[in-house]
Amino acid sequence: MADASTADLGKGKRITGGDRSTLAEDLRKRYDEGESIRSLAESTKRSYGFVHRLLSESGASLRSRGGANRNSKKSE
């Protein structure tokens, strides 16, 4: 869930300096605990791309995509 500081940033508002660092730390912690990028984006009212970029900048180890692989034929 988003905390008060995350909610204060507002949709479309430019985030720089300390606010950006604080948000990056919060998102990284939540992502490391298992929350998805889409869920983080929705809760912060930010785009998927923004959250992905912020996680990358913060040094988070991004998980691979889930779901079935299209070309995963098993050898018989």
Side-chain angles (χ1 to χ4, degrees), residues 17 22 29 55 66-67:
T22 302
K29 179 180 174 223
L55 289 171

Side-chain angles (χ1 to χ4, degrees), residues 12-71:
K13 188 174 180 184
R14 187 173 298 271
I15 302 173
T16 58
D19 286 340
R20 188 177 181 96
S21 297
T22 302
L23 180 60
E25 288 174 25
D26 177 49
L27 293 179
R28 182 175 180 177
K29 179 180 174 223
R30 291 168 56 192
Y31 183 76
D32 287 345
E33 291 173 352
E35 204 166 334
S36 70
I37 295 177
R38 290 202 188 283
S39 146
L40 294 170
E42 186 177 322
S43 70
T44 57
K45 295 182 176 36
R46 293 286 163 174
S47 71
Y48 177 96
F50 175 83
V51 173
H52 185 277
R53 186 170 44 255
L54 210 56
L55 289 171
S56 294
E57 289 173 5
S58 74
S61 178
L62 299 175
R63 298 185 293 268
S64 62
R65 292 181 56 169
N69 295 325
R70 291 182 181 204
N71 298 324

